[in-house]
Every structure is written in C-alpha cells, then in structure tokens.
Amino acid sequence: MPRLVIVSPCYNEEAILAYSARELTQLLERLIASNKILPTSHVLYVNDGSRDRTWEMIEELHQENTFIDGLCLAGNVGSELAVMAGLMTAKEEADVVVSIDADLQDDLGAIEEMIDRYLEGYDIVYGVKKSRQADPFLKRTTAQAFYRLQQSMGIRMVYNHTNFRLMSRRALEALSRYPERNLYLRGIIPMLGYPSTTVDDIIRERVAGESKYNYRKLLFLAVDGITSFTTRPISWIVGMGFFCLLISILMAVYVLVSYIEHLAVPGWASLMLSLWFIGSMLLLSLGVVGQYIGKIYIEVKDRPRYHIAQHLQHHD
Ligand code: UDP
Ligand code: MG
C-alpha cells in the first residue's frame, strides 16, 4: 500500500481552506478505510506568501487534524514554484503525490482512480478536464488556442490538463533534477518519459474566494510555456533571412533588366539591390547569433539528459 500525500498550493485562500480540509480529510479517510493507501497519508498545504489569514488557518488545522501538514514559503513565488516546493517536500515522505489546486475545482473522485492507475504501474497520471464549461468563455478559448500553438511548435503537452496530477516518487526524483527558474511544470512532466496515463476531471465552479490568476499573469505563464521549451522562434529568423535573400536575387534580376532597358531612374538600381541584400544579411547574422544564444540557453537550463527507467544487473 502506498503512502499518499496531497499537495495543495494556497494563495489568499482563507475563504476556502476549511471546506478544502474537510473534503480532503473525508477523501483520505475513505481511501484508508478501503485499504488503498496507508493510514499515514496526509495533506500538505503550501502557503505561497498569502497576505490574509491563510497560514494561521493552516496552523490551526494542523493542530486539530492529524491529516493536515503545512509548509509556509517566505514570500509569494507563484503557483508553479509553490507546487514544486510542495512536491519536493512531499517526495521525502510519500510513495505517491497528488497535486491539486486549493479551490478544489477539480474532481476529487478522480483521485481514487489515479491511485488505481498508479497501482497498475503508471508513474504519472494526468487529470484531464472533460469540460471547461465552468471557465469563462474568453479563458476557455484562449487556453485552447494556446495549447494548439504549443503543439505546432513541437512542445509536448497534455491537452486540457492543468496542475491536477499524480506522480510516483520515482517521477518526482526525476523532476527534482530540473533546476530551472522559469518553471512550467506542464511542459516538463511529459519530458520525464515515465509511463503515464490520464483520468477524466470534471471541473466545477469555485465554491468560495476568487481566481488568483488574472490575464496578465496568464500571459506571463503562456510566454514561459513557449520560451522555456523551444528555440524555434530563432529558426524563424533564419528562415526569414533566407526568404529575403531569395527576394534580393529576384530583385537583382528585375533591377538589371530595368537598368539595361533604361527604365530605371538613376540611383534606383543600386538602392534596390543594397536594400534587400543588406536586409537579408542582417537577418541571417541575427539568426547565426541567435543559434549560439539558443545553445547557451539550453546549456544554462542544466536539464538532465536522461532518466533511467530500469537497470538489470547481476552484481552490485
Ligand atoms: N496560487 C498560488 N500562488 C499564486 C497564485 C495562485 O499558490 O501566486 C494557487 C491558488 O491558491 C490555487 C492555485 O494556485 O490553489 C490555482 O489558482 P486559481 O484557482 O486562482 O487559478 P484558476 O483555477 O482560476 O486558474
Ligand atoms: Mg482554480
């Protein structure tokens, strides 16, 4: 039987904590009673520098409820890093960790299914939103357009999945080897390579409190979701350079013909030729410099180059 830790990031969530603690405790009790998880399983709330009474409430819950643990970050670092802090702390004490937003908009019933998949041998189980009807129209459509853009750039993503997922200890160990600061968990986890599967997640309205994400924050997250994974925009610059070079060759022919036929005003031919040629040289040079910067960027990330899934050996 595995020991489960449920990690939940909280930023100004005082309105919902009591409800969340009640629901998660009930869930743990049910799973323990049905012998799915060890009785030492628990919840780990991560306070992400809240400015309201969130941390005091977590302290109180911890006092009166043995299922509730808390982790208080020194300041607000954003939900991705708060989840990471929780996962890395839970990794030391858990066999399997589920991360879920504190507002419990996700489907709690899916957690039991996630455990079942884990017991079948999956290291990562993604909660995939069945329907996003609870999300406002603009948020839903922009999110979906963004997933498509990422896919078209070769970034592997799980469609309609946010931060509701199960990870085994082995997967968390692999995740701990990604030291990057611009953390975008949804992009990194598919890169780990361990067996993964999905379960359905039916999203509900927030029961209390408000969304902590505004469009400005979402836009930053979206930019990270692209620039943290691919140097493809640099290749586009190179492509543009070659395109302009092609045009400059066509231009050369056109300009020469006009020149010979005496159709051009004096000065036009040399101007046209140098304009396109210099333009294409500038873009190409930028692309070359960009290729080097792209390499530096990939090295600086210091990501692990592989993860080991199994190692058969006779002697230690
Ligand atoms: N959150 C956090 N730090 C932040 C912003 C949000 O830890 O700076 C947490 C928040 O408490 C919640 C989760 O991240 O548990 C998702 O936030 P929210 O529900 O507001 O986002 P939405 O579901 O509306 O996208
Ligand atoms: Mg939410």
Side-chain angles (χ1 to χ4, degrees):
M1 254 192 291
R3 179 190 283 182
L4 167 70
V5 173
I6 300 178
V7 167
S8 191
C10 308
Y11 176 62
N12 296 347
E13 297 286 11
E14 60 180 12
I16 208 154
L17 258 176
Y19 165 80
S20 158
R22 208 162 48 236
E23 292 280 310
L24 291 177
T25 305
Q26 271 174 19
L27 174 79
L28 286 175
E29 280 170 344
R30 205 171 61 236
L31 290 174
I32 291 167
S34 55
N35 281 327
K36 288 248 160 112
I37 57 174
L38 283 178
T40 47
S41 301
H42 55 268
V43 178
L44 178 64
Y45 283 117
V46 183
N47 173 36
D48 182 20
S50 300
R51 283 190 291 256
D52 61 1
R53 287 194 67 253
T54 298
W55 180 244
E56 285 76 10
M57 290 183 68
I58 294 173
E59 283 178 321
E60 283 163 25
L61 288 166
H62 173 71
Q63 289 289 324
E64 64 202 33
N65 185 337
T66 51
F67 284 118
I68 307 289
D69 279 3
L71 186 71
C72 188
L73 300 181
N76 179 251
V77 294
S79 66
E80 293 289 299
L81 287 175
V83 171
M84 187 69 171
L87 293 179
M88 291 303 109
T89 305
K91 156 170 95 68
E92 307 302 327
E93 49 200 30
D95 301 302
V96 48
V97 176
V98 168
S99 54
I100 186 167
D101 285 352
D103 53 23
L104 303 189
Q105 285 184 276
D106 299 293
D107 181 8
L108 281 187
I111 293 182
E112 180 165 3
E113 224 180 303
M114 286 178 166
I115 306 272
D116 290 340
R117 295 290 100 77
Y118 166 78
L119 294 173
E120 285 165 16
Y122 291 100
D123 287 274
I124 301 165
V125 186
Y126 301 100
V128 171
K129 298 184 186 182
K130 273 290 275 187
S131 121
R132 297 181 63 128
Q133 294 312 323
D135 281 338
F137 174 78
L138 192 59
K139 181 165 180 174
R140 193 166 68 231
T141 42
T142 46
Q144 284 169 349
F146 177 65
Y147 289 139
R148 297 230 171 77
L149 178 67
Q150 279 182 321
Q151 267 168 2
S152 71
M153 295 176 88
I155 302 170
R156 271 177 58 199
M157 293 287 291
V158 179
Y159 194 66
N160 268 348
H161 159 69
T162 48
N163 268 336
F164 180 40
R165 79 179 79 80
L166 172 147
M167 293 178 77
S168 69
R169 186 201 297 235
R170 178 168 83 150
L172 290 169
E173 286 297 341
L175 180 65
S176 72
R177 297 173 64 203
Y178 289 76
E180 58 206 76
R181 268 117 255 274
N182 295 300
L183 192 66
Y184 188 73
L185 288 171
R186 278 173 267 173
I188 292 178
I189 289 164
M191 292 167 68
L192 301 178
Y194 288 123
S196 66
T197 184
T198 60
V199 296
D200 289 346
D201 174 16
I202 295 143
I203 292 290
R204 294 179 298 168
E205 306 272 351
R206 233 179 199 275
V207 181
E210 277 167 5
S211 173
K212 305 299 176 294
Y213 267 96
N214 49 31
Y215 281 99
R216 195 178 65 87
K217 275 196 183 175
L218 278 177
L219 193 65
F220 280 122
L221 190 66
V223 170
D224 266 355
I226 289 180
T227 54
S228 294
F229 292 93
T230 175
T231 53
R232 199 160 293 182
I234 298 175
S235 314
W236 290 346
I237 296 180
V238 178
M240 254 149 52
F242 278 116
F243 181 70
C244 287
L245 191 63
L246 184 75
I247 295 207
S248 103
I249 292 168
L250 295 179
M251 264 298 176
V253 176
Y254 175 58
V255 163
L256 280 180
V257 170
S258 314
Y259 187 72
I260 292 164
E261 302 274 311
H262 297 291
L263 293 173
V265 281
W268 178 81
S270 50
L271 260 183
M272 275 326 262
L273 274 181
S274 39
L275 192 74
W276 283 94
F277 187 68
I278 290 179
S280 63
M281 284 301 117
L282 281 177
L283 278 174
L284 283 175
S285 324
L286 204 61
V288 171
V289 175
Q291 293 295 327
Y292 285 101
I293 294 179
K295 292 275 188 302
I296 295 171
Y297 149 94
I298 286 166
E299 294 296 334
V300 158
K301 279 191 173 296
D302 202 19
R303 283 182 176 166
R305 287 164 294 181
Y306 50 80
H307 300 293
I308 291 164
Q310 266 169 30
H311 179 185
L312 299 178
Q313 60 179 164
H314 283 295
H315 309 286
D316 261 339

